[in-house]
Structure formats: structure tokens, C-alpha cells
Amino acid sequence: MREFYERISVDDALTIILKKAKSLEVELPFDMCQGMVLSEDVISSVYLPPFDRSAMDGYAIRGEKSFGASQANPVRFNIIGESKIGEFPVACVGDRDFEAVRIATGAPLPEGCDAVMMVEYTKETDHKTVEIFSSVTPGKNVSTAGEDVRTGDLILKKGRVLKPHDIGILAAIGISQIKVLKRPDVAIISTGDELIEVGSAPPGKIIDVNSYTISEMTGPVGTPHRKKIVKDDPDKLKGAIKECLSYDLIIVSGGTSVGGKDYLPVVVDEMGDILFHGVSMRPGQPSGFGVIEGTPVFMLPGFPVATMVAFEILVRPFIQKSAGLIVNSPYPRICATLKRKIASEIGRRDFVRIKLEEEEDGTTYVDPITSSGSGIISSMVKSDGFLIVSESMEGIEVGEMVEVNLYQ
Ligand code: AMP
Ligand code: MG
């Protein structure tokens, strides 16, 4: 039986992994970039609004002409035209006469006007005349050109993680292509003679779960590409990996431990370099990492829970860093009291699934799910999150306050 090459700590594994995470700049349509990291400053070459426009429905006038107007003492204006949304106004208001232009919200302010009287304070006596019952100061109810954005303004700074409203402002200033750090393309391969695609499993067969969980976990930070299941056959594994070398990252699950059919580490070793194989963590101990012709390859254990934990701890940080994102846990954390003792081992980091329980007295307890192994996927589904027992602890006693990571 082959031994693990060497079992290293989670932190050492992460150091090795993160050194290999490189980001790549790509130019993409702006509306594909939500959640990605901008790799250039975006500077506006336009004014927003592009022209002075009305903020109200009403009449565009020279504000000073309305001074003194009141309910008892309306001021009459001649209606000389209309400004409609999406059309440039033809009317031009002179400074001597009392002239008004009918105007809609968002329509361009006619030349010569500086304010808009709200329709509520007016009454058209006929189509040619309007009475105004209140006064407006110049500038009132007008959005001036460039009030929002001006030419030369720094709109979005390099390094920003793009949010929905950023995509909106890019649309508003007419920028259709932007430079961002690439979301890594991740090839996902499941391997095992017993595995079959989703459907009903014939006797002795197991439905592939890992390529789905890995895809879903990759989704928010990288672009997953599920590949066909590969048999426990070194040549087939080699062929499948070779086909994926153009991806930014390859994740293979299954066949990583020391059983007779566990060819993955041998294959990776033959095709490239293994940087580690075996991590002092539970579950996920038979995880490994290598590089083949410059492409990083993660080897994850086949047991579904172990795969997910190994992804969480080792792969997500790699993808986050490659995408230019801050490497951090996406989980909210809370502190609560441990309901049952957890046993562990010095030198090993344990990821323990937990359930939260609220007692009648209002205290929240953390109940560790320690009875099921890493093949029991329902243990994950039943859990509310997980807690970490660090390498320096032999376990955690009942009643201690623990910090737990919660699934959202
Ligand atoms: P292995 O790491 O190949 O020794 O697999 C360990 C266990 O995980 C075995 O019981 C496999 O059947 C199971 N397993 C491996 N790969 C998968 C997969 N993609 N989906 C579900 N179970 C798997
Ligand atoms: Mg296997």
C-alpha cells in the first residue's frame, strides 16, 4: 500500500496553493462582470445628465418672472411650445416677455429657461396661456448637465468588486467593455469505476455527487465546467486531465488515497509535479495539489463531505485569489455554547458539522454532528454550519463558547 507522501498542515498547504494563484486580466462586456474585480480605472467621457433637464412635469420659465405670483395674484405666461422626453426642444424663451414651455419630467430644458414651475401650481386658461400661482427661484426643479457625472470623473476605481449599481453606471456612461480579472475556468472531473451520471443507479453503482457540489461551490467565484466521469484507469485519467490543461484550474475528486485503484497522485506525479499530498485535517486528509504544464490540479478525496470541506478550505481560497478577491470565508459567524464534547488530535485541524439548538431559556447551543463519517452527505444537509477545532487543541469540552460558521 502506498503511503501519503507527507502530511502537511492546512496553513502550509494554503501557502503552497496561494503561491500558485495568478490572476489574469480579460476584457469583457460590462454586463458579464458583476462580482468581478475591475482591473482598470473607469473615467467618464460624458456628462450625466447630458443636458439640463426638468425634474418635474410643468412649465419651463425664467424663474425671476414668477416672483410675486400667488393664488390671489397669478402671473400669466404665454405658452410658446412644448419640450418632450427624447426630443430636443425647439422653443427658446426670451428675457423680456413672460414665456413658458410645457415640459415633462426628464425632458430637456429649453434655452433661456432656468426653472420649472410644477404643474400643480398652474392653470392653463387656453392652449396659449398659463397662469402661475407661485414663484420659483432660478435653478428650481432642474437637473443641470453634469450634476451626476462629468467628463473626466473617476467613476470606478481599479480593484473594485463590481456591484449591480456599478453595472448600471457603466451603462449610463456608455461603456460597454471593461477590463477585469478573470473568473478562473475550472474543469471538474469525478473519477471512480463505481460512479455513474445522475439517474437511477444499478446495483453496485454510486451516483456522482461531487462534480455537482464542486460546480455549485465554484459558481460564485469561478466558472465551473463539469466533465465526464473517468474510470479508475491511469491512461483514461491522464487523457482526461490532458484535455483539461487549457483550463485555469483542474479539480479531480476520488482516487486520491492509498487504495489499489487510487491512481490520481501517481498520474499527477507522472504528468507534472505534486506539491503536497496529505493534509492534517479531518475530513479531507487525502487532499493533494500539483501542477501540470503550469496548470494547477487539485486532488480531492471522493467522500462527498470530505470533498466539500477540502474545497472550502483549500480550493476556494485559490479561486478567490486568482480572481483578485480577498481570500476569506463567506460565512457569517456566531458564538454559542457547545452542547457535547468534541474529541480531536493535536496537530490536526478538524471541521465539525454542527446544528444550532435553541433551548427554552433562550440559550443557543451548538450540537456537533460527530457520529457520521464523511461519506454521509445528509449530515451536511442536516447541519447549520461547521466549527473548526484548531491544531493546538485536543478537543473542546462541553459548555465552552465556540465560534461557528453558518451556511447562509
Ligand atoms: P475514493 O476517494 O475514490 O476512495 O472514494 C471514497 C468514497 O467516496 C467511495 O465510497 C466512493 O464511492 C465515493 N465517491 C467517490 N467519488 C464520488 C463522487 N463523485 N460522488 C459520490 N461519491 C463518490
Ligand atoms: Mg475511488
Side-chain angles (χ1 to χ4, degrees):
M1 200 153 85
R2 279 194 315 274
E3 286 301 321
F4 291 135
Y5 296 140
E6 200 182 352
R7 209 173 297 164
I8 63 170
S9 70
V10 173
D11 286 341
D12 287 349
L14 274 174
T15 305
I16 293 170
I17 287 166
L18 292 180
K19 253 192 219 152
K20 293 289 168 192
K22 303 271 180 313
S23 38
L24 201 72
E25 188 181 72
V26 284
E27 195 169 313
L28 289 177
F30 75 108
D31 56 344
M32 285 178 64
C33 297
Q34 214 244 115
M36 298 176 85
V37 174
L38 190 65
S39 63
E40 63 177 347
D41 285 341
V42 172
I43 292 170
S44 176
S45 59
V46 298
Y47 269 56
L48 277 189
F51 44 81
D52 292 349
R53 67 183 180 194
S54 176
M56 295 287 174
D57 288 340
Y59 296 85
I61 57 171
R62 270 174 187 268
E64 60 179 33
K65 302 277 186 197
S66 68
F67 291 168
S70 68
Q71 200 67 35
N73 198 12
V75 176
R76 284 179 156 236
F77 285 74
N78 293 323
I79 302 171
I80 58 155
E82 185 163 357
S83 176
K84 295 181 181 164
I85 297 167
E87 289 177 20
F88 223 73
V90 280
C92 175
V93 168
D95 64 350
R96 257 168 289 162
D97 302 322
F98 286 78
E99 290 179 338
V101 174
R102 256 187 232 111
I103 194 162
T105 306
L109 197 73
E111 222 176 286
C113 298
D114 57 18
V116 172
M117 170 55 70
M118 283 165 76
V119 72
E120 287 85 340
Y121 301 111
T122 67
K123 188 176 163 207
E124 281 194 21
T125 46
D126 54 60
H127 280 312
K128 293 203 172 117
T129 319
V130 61
E131 285 183 342
I132 284 178
F133 302 103
S134 176
S135 63
V136 275
T137 46
K140 188 84 180 163
N141 300 328
V142 171
S143 297
T144 49
E147 176 184 270
D148 194 352
V149 170
R150 286 171 173 268
T151 303
D153 280 359
L154 173 62
I155 303 300
L156 300 170
K157 219 167 169 232
K158 179 178 171 169
R160 183 179 175 95
V161 181
L162 294 167
K163 299 169 187 73
H165 42 259
D166 299 336
I167 306 303
I169 204 163
L170 287 166
I173 63 174
I175 291 188
S176 57
Q177 294 276 120
I178 50 168
K179 288 189 182 139
V180 286
L181 298 183
K182 187 175 183 220
R183 215 178 240 139
D185 279 304
V186 182
I188 299 164
I189 301 171
S190 288
T191 162
D193 284 340
E194 75 283 23
L195 299 180
I196 56 158
E197 293 288 349
V198 156
S200 56
K205 297 289 184 193
I206 296 283
I207 294 172
D208 165 32
V209 169
N210 295 345
S211 70
Y212 290 97
T213 49
I214 294 171
S215 282
E216 297 304 322
M217 293 175 95
T218 298
V221 274
T223 307
H225 303 268
R226 283 183 59 245
K227 299 292 165 184
K228 283 209 182 92
I229 295 165
V230 180
K231 294 273 181 218
D232 288 315
D233 173 319
D235 290 334
K236 292 211 166 105
L237 255 180
K238 263 186 209 167
I241 290 176
K242 206 164 180 191
E243 271 180 30
C244 294
L245 288 176
S246 59
Y247 288 86
D248 300 308
L249 168 65
I250 302 172
I251 303 175
V252 189
S253 75
T256 64
S257 39
V258 291
K261 283 179 161 188
D262 295 328
Y263 301 116
L264 183 58
V266 181
V267 163
V268 175
D269 191 33
E270 274 177 32
M271 295 178 78
D273 296 314
I274 288 198
L275 303 188
F276 66 80
H277 180 214
V279 183
S280 296
M281 61 191 265
R282 195 163 86 172
Q285 179 185 287
S287 302
F289 181 67
V291 177
I292 302 171
E293 293 174 29
T295 307
V297 182
F298 278 93
M299 301 176 270
L300 304 189
F303 281 122
V305 176
T307 299
M308 282 186 265
V309 171
F311 183 97
E312 193 61 58
I313 306 310
L314 305 173
V315 186
R316 194 204 306 277
F318 178 94
I319 302 179
Q320 281 173 325
K321 189 172 172 215
S322 306
L325 299 165
I326 293 167
V327 175
N328 67 1
S329 156
Y331 301 111
R333 291 178 193 162
I334 61 156
C335 284
T337 312
L338 190 64
K339 193 176 174 188
R340 233 187 292 260
K341 179 188 161 98
I342 301 174
S344 182
E345 235 175 55
I346 296 273
R348 191 182 71 202
R349 197 179 296 186
D350 283 7
F351 298 84
V352 181
R353 282 145 278 160
I354 60 100
K355 261 192 83 60
L356 288 183
E357 276 178 14
E358 196 154 336
E359 299 285 299
E360 272 164 18
D361 63 0
T363 314
T364 304
Y365 285 95
V366 173
D367 193 7
I369 306 174
T370 47
S371 54
S372 49
S374 60
I376 309 297
I377 190 166
S378 63
S379 67
M380 199 94 174
V381 176
K382 285 174 191 156
S383 71
D384 296 311
F386 63 93
L387 69 78
I388 297 172
V389 186
S390 76
E391 288 88 342
S392 62
M393 298 167 92
E394 259 192 302
I396 308 177
E397 292 301 327
V398 178
E400 279 192 36
M401 283 298 276
V402 288
E403 190 183 54
V404 296
N405 299 274
L406 297 179
Y407 301 127
Q408 280 165 310

